[in-house]
Amino acid sequence: MVAAFDGWNDACQSATNVIRHLVSKYRSLEVGHISRDGYYDYQTSRPMQCVIQGTRRILWPQTAFYDITVTDDLHLLTQLGPEPNYRWMDYVRETLHFAKQYDVSRIVMLGSMFAECPHTRDLPIEVSVDGVQSDPESEYNGPIGIPHIIDAMAIEEGFDTTSIWVSVPQYLGGNEPCPQATLELFQQLASVIGLKLNAQELEGKADQWRAHCDVMVRNNADLDGYVDQLEHDYDLKQHARTIASAGTPAVEQLVQEAEAYLRDLP
């Protein structure tokens, strides 16, 4: 099962757009939902009005589950909806009930968050498997959302779990979609599943997004300088990881390079 939620856990709609892409590109069938009653504050997650063939309809916030046929041998149960405002424990129990009904073996949670990272590099991805972070140095401490609660309770119920989070450049702000973040989540999901998924449309949108960001940065001198600094910090961290993995002599080299860098700071 793959799940993503609108709201606090979904910077620039990057995580939920993975589910929407899967629904649009593969044969999918809505197979159930979690009732809205008692879970939502309608001043926070407002109902939407739309007119369909001259008839007004009110669309209430709710969670939907889709059965997506990726191959003849692989189906994904996907969960998509707003993060609930109330009764999280009950909501998670309903979620895991659906997972058990469909004989789910692994639950994959998707999320995105704003961070200080440059758009000119691969966006940082953090992955945890069965609650264990792949990079101990990036272990998160702080407020959490419904994906973390589902992950923790799923582990207690005996499910295998994977959580995938992508960072979105904070300086972009706003709620405009970030196709690059969606693409990188999608690619990581494909790696977890062990299949090549159809990402061609996302790749094209990501190219356009990066080009748009390049223009925005070039037209703002302060932002250009800020991105240069983010690039430098990003490259230094990547270099540190490479050297640290090479052994003790290389670590000493890293210390010398870091000291030289600090001396050169204004």
Side-chain angles (χ1 to χ4, degrees), residues 11-30:
C12 294
Q13 306 161 51
S14 304
T16 52
N17 278 343
V18 172
I19 305 295
R20 295 184 184 103
H21 182 75
L22 286 167
V23 169
S24 68
K25 293 302 174 185
Y26 296 91
R27 184 160 58 88
S28 60
L29 178 66
E30 185 172 345

Side-chain angles (χ1 to χ4, degrees), residues 7 16 36 57 65 74 78 113 125 155 158 192 196 234 238-239 249 252-253 260:
T16 52
R36 63 185 180 270
R57 292 188 60 187
F65 291 88
L74 176 64
T78 62
M113 56 190 172
I125 288 276
I155 292 171
V192 169
K196 182 175 177 59
Y234 183 100
Q238 290 299 110
H239 186 47
E252 294 175 356
Q253 176 191 342

Side-chain angles (χ1 to χ4, degrees), residues 91-110:
Y91 183 91
V92 174
R93 279 191 280 268
E94 286 202 52
T95 294
L96 298 182
H97 178 68
F98 263 96
K100 290 174 182 177
Q101 281 186 316
Y102 282 82
D103 295 324
V104 165
S105 58
R106 177 172 294 278
I107 295 178
V108 181
M109 305 303 307
L110 303 179

